[in-house]
Amino acid sequence: MKRIIFQVFGVILLVPAVGMATLRFENRNADGPSILFPGGEMVSGDLHTGPEPDWAFTNDIQTVELQLNNPMASRLIWILEAEGRPFIISGYMTTVLGKLWKEWAFEADRGNNEGVLRVDGVRYPRRLQRITEGDILDGVSASLLQKYVGVPAPGADAISATRAGIEAGESWVFELVPREVN
């Protein structure tokens, strides 16, 4: 009887695990990420040319697609705007989950930081520049609290606490700096 129970339990675990692995494998070369899985190179969409846009339009967008060029992979990620500049944030960086799940942030911090941001079908060539200090972190913290935490008018204490978490390395902030495409 134990053997049958173990076999049934094994099948119940094996089928979803194989299904998830197959879906992840199939999505690795897709044009962008899916909701659950990273994707491949983002090739569709117009390539932005001209002056920098007013990034305030991203205040109404929850997630964008970000592709790093080395390794070539894309994912969905939160976007913030502060002082007219675009930023992305990666949380849980001091946790085991963060170290496993946020491999892209470690790659970008090591220098593999060139990629493409795709927002509403438009691709923006970018370089990710990690920000660990400076007054801009107050604006990034306020934007994070308003957009993703739901604090309509964050006070100085909340902004200071969020900034302290960034400065301590619990969350990493990257500015999406324009780059030239060859």
Side-chain angles (χ1 to χ4, degrees):
M1 183 65 168
K2 279 186 180 180
R3 184 175 180 189
I4 292 173
I5 291 172
F6 282 127
Q7 287 175 343
V8 169
F9 188 67
V11 169
I12 289 172
L13 291 178
L14 185 63
V15 170
V18 169
M20 294 293 275
T22 301
L23 289 171
R24 183 179 173 99
F25 182 78
E26 288 294 318
N27 204 61
R28 78 189 186 292
N29 292 322
D31 180 12
S34 70
I35 291 174
L36 290 178
F37 302 108
E41 182 177 9
M42 297 186 304
V43 294
S44 66
D46 295 328
L47 192 60
H48 176 77
T49 57
E52 277 292 284
D54 176 359
W55 288 98
F57 80 94
T58 62
N59 290 335
D60 297 327
I61 299 170
Q62 292 296 309
T63 58
V64 294
E65 297 169 300
L66 176 69
Q67 166 204 307
L68 289 184
N69 292 345
N70 184 17
M72 185 69 70
S74 56
R75 73 233 359 103
L76 291 175
I77 193 156
W78 288 355
I79 188 165
L80 304 169
E81 177 270 332
E83 297 181 15
R85 297 158 39 194
F87 297 88
I88 56 174
I89 190 161
S90 181
Y92 310 108
M93 297 306 292
T94 58
T95 67
V96 172
L97 177 62
K99 290 177 179 153
L100 294 172
W101 185 26
K102 307 293 183 116
E103 182 180 335
W104 68 268
F106 290 100
E107 285 294 325
D109 193 45
R110 280 193 287 268
N112 298 328
N113 62 347
E114 289 193 349
V116 176
L117 176 73
R118 186 164 56 190
V119 184
D120 289 336
V122 178
R123 295 177 297 142
Y124 301 86
R126 296 286 133 170
R127 183 173 46 81
L128 282 67
Q129 179 178 322
R130 187 168 170 207
I131 308 295
T132 58
E133 60 186 12
D135 291 339
I136 190 65
L137 290 180
D138 287 336
V140 169
S141 297
S143 182
L144 175 65
L145 289 165
Q146 289 172 333
K147 187 171 182 178
Y148 296 106
V149 181
V151 179
D157 289 345
I159 290 171
S160 181
T162 302
R163 178 179 175 159
I166 294 168
E167 290 172 335
E170 295 166 8
S171 295
W172 290 8
V173 172
F174 293 91
E175 183 173 1
L176 300 167
V177 180
R179 69 174 175 87
E180 296 295 320
V181 178
N182 299 333

